[in-house]
Amino acid sequence: MAEITHPATGFLIGDPEASPFEAGRLPSPPELEKAMSGLILSASGWRKVFASPEPGEARAPWAAPLAAAPAGAADEDSLSPRVSAADLFLAGAMASVFTDFLRERSGRPDPAVLVGIDSRPTGPALADAMCRIFLGLGARPRYLFIVAAPEIMAYSRHASLVAGDHDDRAEGFCYVSASHNPPGHNGVKFGVGGGVLPGKDSARLIEAFRNLVASPDLVKRILYASEAADPRELAKVYSGVSAWKRRSVSAYTLFSHEVVTGSADPALQGAFLDGMASGAASRKVSVLAELNGSARSLSIDADFLGALGVGFRSLNDRPREFAHRIVPEGESLATCRKALEEAAAADPSFVAGYVPDCDGDRGNLVIMERAEAGGPARGRVLGAQEVFALCCMAECAQLARGAAARGGAMPKAAIAVNDATSMRIEELASAFGVEVRRAETGEANVVGLAEELRGQGYTVRIMGEGSNGGNITWPASVRDPLATVSALLKVLLVRDSASGLPAARGHNASGVVQGLYRIWLERTGRGAEYREDFDLGDVIASLPAWSTTSAFEAEAMLKIRSADHAALKARYRDAFLAAWERDGADFERRLGAVSWEAFASKGSSESAVGEDFAASGRGGLRIVFSDAAGRKVAFVWMRGSGTEPVFRVMADVGAFACRAGSADENQAWLLDWHRALVLEADLA
């Protein structure tokens, strides 16, 4: 045995001399077929349940007891590190096709590939299998072990820009993660530069993978590649994780400066960050991170926020220290809310907390709200759509402030969002003259849309999937809790300051550039409401009021029989038209809605489809309701998940439109109406 452990955690990285591809563990064709049948392949990631626990092995502490299951049965809440032989060969096949892809793309016979994992127990076994195949096929794996997704992608961006012969150069990255799925799940994201592969490249890779798995030579090819991997070279790969992680931390820190400030100029970055630090010094602000055993527990959060003068406290901050479900929604934020309330009771500077998912690429928020008369201050969990709206407001206001500081007008700007993002973003963006464009759900689709818009001359400072939480702030291509928390902090800390420009330039009569929150209020005709002692509760209350179905509540997920989603949507159209005829008076009475328009989202675009609901295929279908003045007051949406075996539905209602009942009541009514039609169509 030559086991190598991770210095920072003590976790096993691997044993270079003990190959997982042993002759005695070769999977049979039926085993490979079964393993493949559970794998979901999409541009958003390749995922399945990989954990193969033995009876009595550890499961997530919050998971409900299961009925008796066969020995070794897959368990999505399992904390077992074991992976079946068939799944290890699938991992090897993934590494094989990605090596071919990087060779073709780069023209190099020995492409360097960054390899990282999130904190799931099955990550080391899958990465061990992949590193062996990378090495055996002549690629150069650079293993970071547990690393947050935004960190490895920031490092990959840096590594793609250096000279080809530089030691830091890398042609792509392979990240083992299942994002917000339960701990027994796992998967892979492949990327180049600073983001995951775009749709066309992802489709090519998926096709190559399917072909390899279907080939009778699969097992032979993986065995040959594994045997070609020199254990001494593999030992160097595993012993070098700390050195590569140090480089990734450095690259991520520098990149985060650019993301937060919106500038690549170190001098401008320094000035902006100094301004935030000055605000933190005068208004003492602290943040709590409930890291839930995620990969962010080994990232830069404490150092980055500490350098801004922001107080920082963390809990559940050891990898695999899962205290609750991985998805940072609903009840998963209860631990953070309680800890934040306790921290704020002892130290009122604690104003917010955040909870990431397992790969650390999203962070949903809890904020402290001002105490009511005679009562204690309370923490409030923000919904994913609220978090995204807060970040969009901050970044739009920062664009406006930058224009004012330069004495110019707002740039031609847009926000790229997914089809399930609340229309509160359109209401918010219109105050700044910023357009909103929509793509099909999937981070790669939103990033692709943003790139297209930039090619058309737009400034796209922020993008994201409002329905899924978190935000992507340019030049990043992935969500990042630091960008989310920094947006919140900018609203609190970036206040009025001297512009350095004469008042005659017209940007401000007093020669002062306003703070972000004041800019927002002024843009929405509420400047008189501004007060210096505002808190985050005031900021959230000032945002457009909409009620939106959470993507992770039970009512948002349906189990359907229909495999043909286009046919399902065609039947839904028939049910919808009949229901609209029947219930149109209720829509007008509740929301003033008198008309509708259907939109299909595919890839990086959304377009009107009239009554041809089937045109959306397996993409998203959104039906927008408008009042007599043409104002969009609500929508319903549906799409089959690309990474989970569920069919998602949602409703979105503007509070301004509600004539009878509250926004929450009307959203629940509209969702029930929509769900019933989907289920009717599924049974037709």
Side-chain angles (χ1 to χ4, degrees):
M1 294 289 287
E3 291 184 347
I4 296 176
T5 57
H6 185 238
T9 63
F11 296 158
L12 176 66
I13 295 174
D15 184 344
E17 297 180 3
S19 173
F21 304 109
E22 299 172 353
R25 297 188 66 209
L26 299 185
S28 66
E31 288 172 331
L32 283 170
E33 183 178 356
K34 180 180 178 181
M36 188 68 180
S37 68
L39 183 62
I40 295 175
L41 302 170
S42 79
S44 299
W46 302 11
R47 299 179 191 172
K48 64 168 292 184
V49 179
F50 277 99
S52 298
E54 296 286 0
E57 285 195 61
R59 298 179 65 241
W62 62 87
L66 292 179
D75 176 0
E76 66 175 17
D77 279 319
S78 174
L79 297 180
S80 169
R82 296 182 70 255
V83 177
S84 72
D87 283 335
L88 290 171
F89 272 80
L90 290 187
M94 294 175 189
S96 177
V97 296
F98 192 51
T99 300
D100 291 343
F101 174 86
L102 291 180
R103 278 187 178 138
E104 180 182 346
R105 186 177 187 276
S106 68
R108 295 186 61 116
D110 61 343
V113 55
L114 303 178
V115 181
I117 63 175
D118 71 13
S119 57
R120 296 165 202 275
T122 53
L126 294 172
D128 177 51
M130 300 182 85
C131 283
R132 291 172 188 273
I133 302 308
F134 283 133
L135 198 61
L137 293 177
R140 292 171 292 140
R142 293 170 175 172
Y143 194 16
L144 283 68
F145 199 59
I146 296 176
V147 59
E151 181 178 326
I152 192 173
M153 293 186 200
Y155 185 28
S156 178
R157 180 179 185 270
H158 164 78
S160 70
L161 297 175
V162 299
D165 57 351
H166 194 284
D167 192 37
D168 252 357
R169 174 76 187 185
E171 278 63 54
F173 69 84
C174 167
Y175 187 59
V176 179
S177 171
S179 188
H180 61 270
N181 291 36
H185 290 237
N186 220 324
V188 183
K189 291 183 179 182
F190 298 104
V192 294
V196 296
L197 294 180
K200 289 183 179 179
D201 286 340
S202 177
R204 284 177 51 209
L205 200 66
I206 289 171
E207 181 181 9
F209 174 71
R210 290 189 185 278
N211 289 340
L212 177 57
V213 173
S215 167
D217 294 330
L218 168 66
V219 171
K220 184 186 299 183
R221 175 166 180 174
I222 298 305
L223 283 176
Y224 282 171
S226 174
E227 290 169 359
D230 186 336
R232 293 168 298 181
E233 292 301 313
L234 189 61
K236 292 179 183 177
V237 171
Y238 291 167
S239 298
V241 296
S242 295
W244 291 115
K245 184 66 165 62
R246 283 195 297 273
R247 296 189 188 198
S248 76
V249 164
S250 176
Y252 185 32
T253 301
L254 294 175
F255 183 64
S256 295
H257 291 165
E258 184 175 353
V259 169
V260 171
T261 64
S263 174
D265 184 332
L268 293 178
Q269 290 177 8
F272 189 92
L273 295 172
D274 285 347
M276 289 185 68
S278 176
S282 61
R283 295 175 181 84
K284 197 181 178 188
V285 171
S286 298
V287 171
L288 182 138
E290 195 275 283
L291 298 175
N292 194 36
S294 71
R296 289 218 71 86
S297 56
L298 295 180
S299 201
I300 67 173
D301 300 37
D303 290 340
F304 186 86
L305 295 175
L308 293 175
V310 175
F312 182 84
R313 182 182 303 174
S314 61
L315 67 154
N316 299 324
D317 52 7
R318 283 184 52 80
R320 301 181 191 165
E321 197 172 83
F322 302 130
H324 51 74
R325 291 194 179 277
I326 284 173
V327 59
E329 293 276 349
E331 65 183 23
S332 294
L333 280 85
T335 299
C336 182
R337 179 177 61 187
K338 180 180 178 182
L340 179 63
E341 288 175 345
E342 292 173 351
D347 179 357
S349 74
F350 278 92
V351 297
Y354 65 99
V355 184
D357 54 1
C358 197
D359 61 348
D361 70 350
R362 82 168 90 183
N364 281 342
L365 300 177
V366 180
I367 65 166
M368 290 301 298
E369 293 191 303
R370 186 178 285 111
E372 297 180 1
R378 297 289 186 188
R380 177 186 165 193
V381 173
L382 299 185
Q385 302 273 10
E386 288 181 297
V387 172
F388 186 59
L390 170 64
C391 294
C392 287
M393 183 273 279
E395 299 305 334
C396 286
Q398 186 174 338
L399 273 180
R401 190 174 195 271
R406 295 186 298 271
M410 273 283 285
K412 176 184 173 183
I415 300 172
V417 303
N418 73 339
D419 48 6
T421 295
S422 167
M423 289 193 299
R424 71 186 75 197
I425 299 303
E426 278 91 344
E427 185 178 345
L428 184 156
S430 66
F432 296 94
V434 174
E435 298 180 36
V436 175
R437 300 287 184 86
R438 292 175 180 261
E440 183 183 356
T441 289
E443 194 169 276
N445 295 324
V446 174
V447 171
L449 171 59
E451 287 299 312
E452 292 174 14
L453 291 169
R454 291 189 188 98
Q456 298 167 21
Y458 285 89
T459 294
V460 185
R461 172 67 179 148
I462 188 169
M463 58 197 130
E465 299 187 276
S467 56
N468 291 333
N471 56 286
I472 306 171
T473 305
W474 175 255
S477 298
V478 65
R479 292 172 294 187
D480 191 337
L482 279 186
T484 302
V485 173
S486 294
L488 174 155
L489 291 171
K490 285 187 285 192
V491 173
L492 288 177
L493 302 178
V494 178
R495 306 288 183 115
D496 296 358
S497 64
S499 67
L501 295 174
R505 297 287 291 273
H507 63 282
N508 188 285
S510 62
V512 169
V513 178
Q514 297 170 330
L516 301 189
Y517 182 52
R518 192 196 291 271
I519 289 172
W520 162 241
L521 292 180
E522 292 281 357
R523 289 273 181 160
T524 51
R526 297 174 291 172
E529 297 178 14
Y530 179 82
R531 64 172 192 263
E532 282 294 322
D533 66 340
F534 72 87
D535 64 9
L536 287 174
D538 297 323
V539 175
I540 297 300
S542 75
L543 299 176
W546 288 68
S547 179
T548 313
T549 310
S550 167
F552 294 94
E553 62 184 75
E555 290 77 9
M557 294 176 276
L558 295 175
K559 296 286 187 181
I560 61 171
R561 302 182 309 168
S562 303
D564 187 338
H565 290 183
L568 170 69
K569 290 167 184 173
R571 296 192 298 272
Y572 175 88
R573 174 202 56 206
D574 296 337
F576 174 88
L577 292 175
W580 177 254
E581 182 71 22
R582 181 190 70 224
D583 301 326
D586 276 349
F587 275 82
E588 185 170 11
R589 178 180 63 84
R590 287 174 173 271
L591 302 172
V594 297
S595 64
W596 60 269
E597 187 173 13
F599 296 87
S601 57
K602 287 187 175 182
S604 61
S605 66
E606 183 187 66
S607 58
V609 292
E611 293 186 3
D612 186 10
F613 292 6
S616 61
R618 296 190 69 85
L621 176 66
R622 192 167 68 102
I623 303 172
V624 179
F625 302 96
S626 299
D627 64 15
R631 292 182 304 174
K632 296 175 179 179
V633 299
F635 75 76
V636 293
W637 170 88
M638 67 173 81
R639 179 181 179 272
S641 173
T643 56
E644 298 172 85
V646 297
F647 196 80
R648 296 194 181 277
V649 294
M650 65 167 286
D652 184 43
V653 172
F656 70 89
C658 294
R659 297 180 174 183
S662 68
D664 287 344
E665 291 168 341
N666 282 308
Q667 184 265 130
W669 168 79
L670 184 56
L671 179 64
D672 286 345
W673 186 86
H674 178 45
R675 280 172 52 93
L677 296 183
V678 174
L679 293 173
E680 178 184 336
D682 187 44
L683 294 173

